[in-house]
Amino acid sequence: MTEMQKLYLLIPLAPLAGALIAGLFGRPLGPAWSHRATIALMIVCVAASITVFMDVLGGNIYNGSVYTWMISGDTRFEVGFLIDQLSATMMVVVSFVSLMVHIYTIGYMRGDSGYQRFFSYISLFTFSMLMLVMSNNFLQLFFGWEAVGLVSYLLIGFWYTRPTAIYANLKAFLVNRVGDFGFLLGIGMVLTYFGTLDYAAVFTQAPQIATQTIEIIPGSSWELLSPICILLFVGAMGKSAQFPLHVWLPDSMEGPTPISALIHAATMVTAGIFMVARMSPLFELTETALSVMLVVGGITTLFMALVAIVQNDIKRVVAYSTLSQLGYMTLALGASAYSAGVFHLMTHAFFKAVLFLGAGSVIIAMHHEQDMRKMGGLRKHMPITYGTMFIAALANAGVIGFSGFFSKDAVIEAIHFAAIPGAGFAYFCAVTTVFVSAVYTFRLLFMTFHGKPRMDHHTEEHLHESPWVVTLPLVILAIPSVGAGWLIGPILFGDYFGSAIHIMPQHEAIAKMSAEFHGLSGMMAHAVTTLPFWFSIAGIFTAWYLYIVNTDLPAKIKQASGPLYTLLDRKYYIDEFYSWFFAGGARALGGGFWKFGDVKVIDGFLVNGTARVVAATAMLIRRFQSGYIYHYAFTMIVGVFVLMSIWLYGS
């Protein structure tokens, strides 16, 4: 094993070691040494990830097996690593954001009875995500996929004495199982038709497999890759919270804020986006799957952004913002602009982590109050939190010069140039969402930090900036929230991803964008003439007018909109429908099985019925056991008659 291969192993094993130390020995070590151990090992993980990243930039790519778990026939089930530009980028983003969350947790979770347990969980979560992004085969991918789902269940329900937390983690677990079932079926079809789970072998065979067809419905033939890719995307819909499997993510805000930043910024929700980008050699061969992603991404982007406008819980606003931004990433994937999707994943990880952690800083100052209607005027008390969240808000709204502008503009332009069915609808949703995003983002900022204080007198008297362990990650993450977008040239239009991402020649979105790209200054100058720029400015101005200038107008709009507001406030009644149809249907089906199957069939017919038959038979036989000889003689005569009849006529 070479030194670099040892380094590959160190990257996921370091957070795993931290999880074991804090989880198994956290009580005797105490809170301080638990967080020191996990953070020290996360620093090792980040340093190793950066070293590997620099090595990959030098042209060194690794694809190899580490351990053979099982051999069944010609199929090998292995643990292996694929270290290329795509995985190396994800490793740096995941480990860096996770380190910031670890540091932030010291301040946010101080004094919590589950302090060591929380550090164990977030380190385990980081290990699971790293195993997912570093995998070179579907088996390991599925292991990491399910592991992040399991740990997210533990983290969302971390405060397990709260009924709302129990409901939220159960909801997240069940909804993700729906997506994971589709994902597992897709992997099963890959194994059936490709005969291997290794990425490289699958991608090599893909062009030949693409010519094959399958009849899902008799008489209706599909390209074989279409159902495979759609099933894989169903898994991504669950993990990356795409409509209609998005309902778990807003409720997951019941977990502590640090994990909201970790799950919903850089790790779990981006797993689906990463997976589709990794599977680009498959998705490129089926426009059906690409069209599905465009439609699903468009719906998620626009309709979740609209819900964010009416939310009053500061964390839920950011959660619905995450849903909308994940929709943008899905749109990029559907437009065959995988590099743009991954680029937006990267920039979003930084500025959305700032928004989540900043919201947590506000919640600390407000003594765990999350309703923005009870805030206001925090700017003077929390200048660092305000400054960093202001930067993140500008990035989220897509203001020129900030990271979100470059990545979001790239996604919108890619959709504009895409010639895939559904691109027109997707473009409308993407452009419209720019305005809505700016409104809800600056609504959050103005309601929280500007205007007159709306909290109680006691809270106002004790308002102060959060401790340095909370503000330091905010400041550090705010830097790439500004500067990460400046890397758009090499990432999108250079050869940054190399062979890690495959695009068919007929899908020309990135190529057309590259021809029109004239550097950062040229892109920013051109943006002034485009709709997204003016929609962004209009959204910020609208939020400023509604929540700073004419603060009575939002209530009037709410009253006038009536059913529309109710529809958005109830999140299109999707949760209610799921509760009625799926949960209620499951209960009704279970009740039916109990009342008919158990009570009537098993207990009534089989158990009690058998007893009644035995009793009736016994009563009948007992009548012939009278003790009179003529009764026995009569029975014998009847028996002989029956036997003779069978013998004579049966033969």
Side-chain angles (χ1 to χ4, degrees), residues 233 242 273 276 289-303 323-338 340-342 344 407-408 410-416 418 420-434 509:
F233 178 62
Q242 296 296 286
I273 308 301
V276 174
L290 295 177
S291 292
V292 169
M293 287 194 289
L294 281 173
V295 173
V296 170
I299 294 171
T300 307
T301 300
L302 178 57
F303 289 88
L323 285 173
S324 181
Q325 298 303 317
L326 287 166
Y328 270 115
M329 300 173 207
T330 304
L331 286 172
L333 301 175
S336 282
Y338 305 96
V342 175
H344 193 53
S407 57
K408 191 182 292 185
V411 172
I412 294 171
E413 285 298 302
I415 301 165
H416 176 68
I420 297 168
F425 168 76
Y427 183 73
F428 167 78
C429 292
V431 173
T432 308
T433 304
V434 173

Side-chain angles (χ1 to χ4, degrees), residues 13-24 34 37-39 41 119-120 123-124:
L13 291 180
L16 177 62
L20 293 173
I21 292 170
L24 299 178
S34 293
T38 52
I39 291 173
L41 286 163
F119 273 97
S120 177
S123 290
L124 186 61

Side-chain angles (χ1 to χ4, degrees), residues 80-82 130-137 140-141 199 278:
F81 294 146
L82 172 56
L130 288 169
M131 288 295 289
L132 188 156
V133 301
M134 295 172 70
S135 63
N136 75 340
N137 62 84
Q140 188 177 327
L141 173 70
Y199 291 164
R278 174 62 79 199

Side-chain angles (χ1 to χ4, degrees), residues 180-476:
D180 293 351
F181 181 67
F183 188 55
L184 188 58
L185 288 177
I187 293 174
M189 289 188 71
V190 168
L191 181 59
T192 301
Y193 292 100
F194 289 84
T196 180
L197 293 175
D198 183 75
Y199 291 164
V202 170
F203 298 159
T204 302
Q205 297 181 52
Q208 290 77 40
I209 298 292
T211 60
Q212 298 183 24
T213 58
I214 184 174
E215 285 194 5
I216 300 174
I217 302 171
S220 177
S221 63
W222 285 57
E223 295 176 344
L224 178 57
L225 279 179
S226 292
I228 291 176
C229 289
I230 289 172
L231 285 169
L232 292 176
F233 178 62
V234 169
M237 287 169 63
K239 276 291 178 288
S240 294
Q242 296 296 286
F243 175 88
L245 301 180
H246 66 281
V247 294
W248 67 269
L249 192 143
D251 284 0
S252 68
M253 296 299 106
E254 290 294 332
T257 299
I259 203 55
S260 299
L262 191 59
I263 290 179
H264 306 134
T267 52
M268 180 174 166
V269 293
T270 61
I273 308 301
F274 164 81
M275 184 272 294
V276 174
R278 174 62 79 199
M279 300 300 141
S280 60
L282 299 181
F283 281 86
E284 280 297 281
L285 297 169
T286 167
E287 284 200 352
T288 304
L290 295 177
S291 292
V292 169
M293 287 194 289
L294 281 173
V295 173
V296 170
I299 294 171
T300 307
T301 300
L302 178 57
F303 289 88
M304 297 304 109
L306 289 170
V307 176
I309 291 180
V310 303
Q311 296 298 307
N312 294 310
D313 185 307
I314 188 171
K315 285 177 67 177
R316 285 186 178 264
V317 174
V318 186
Y320 278 101
S321 171
T322 301
L323 285 173
S324 181
Q325 298 303 317
L326 287 166
Y328 270 115
M329 300 173 207
T330 304
L331 286 172
L333 301 175
S336 282
Y338 305 96
S339 55
V342 175
F343 184 48
H344 193 53
L345 182 159
M346 181 182 72
T347 61
H348 173 264
F350 299 126
F351 66 74
K352 190 53 57 71
V354 173
L355 288 175
F356 269 119
L357 298 181
S361 178
V362 169
I363 292 168
I364 294 171
M366 293 292 300
H367 303 292
H368 294 279
E369 176 61 66
Q370 296 181 196
D371 193 334
M372 296 187 299
R373 293 170 297 183
K374 299 179 182 179
M375 299 178 186
L378 294 181
R379 179 179 55 172
K380 61 182 180 183
H381 301 286
M382 308 180 73
I384 300 174
T385 300
Y386 171 73
T388 53
M389 287 192 73
F390 186 72
I391 291 170
L394 292 170
N396 195 67
V399 174
I400 289 178
F402 293 83
S403 63
F405 157 75
F406 294 102
S407 57
K408 191 182 292 185
D409 199 66
V411 172
I412 294 171
E413 285 298 302
I415 301 165
H416 176 68
F417 287 122
I420 297 168
F425 168 76
Y427 183 73
F428 167 78
C429 292
V431 173
T432 308
T433 304
V434 173
F435 171 79
V436 183
S437 297
V439 172
Y440 71 67
T441 304
F442 278 85
R443 173 180 177 265
L444 180 152
L445 203 72
F446 294 145
M447 286 185 70
T448 303
F449 293 99
H450 292 259
K452 296 179 180 178
R454 296 182 297 278
M455 70 286 295
D456 60 77
H457 183 68
H458 175 76
T459 302
E460 188 178 3
E461 280 188 337
H462 292 84
L463 285 173
H464 58 83
E465 184 62 90
S466 300
W468 71 268
V469 288
V470 172
T471 56
L472 179 64
L474 287 171
V475 173
I476 294 173

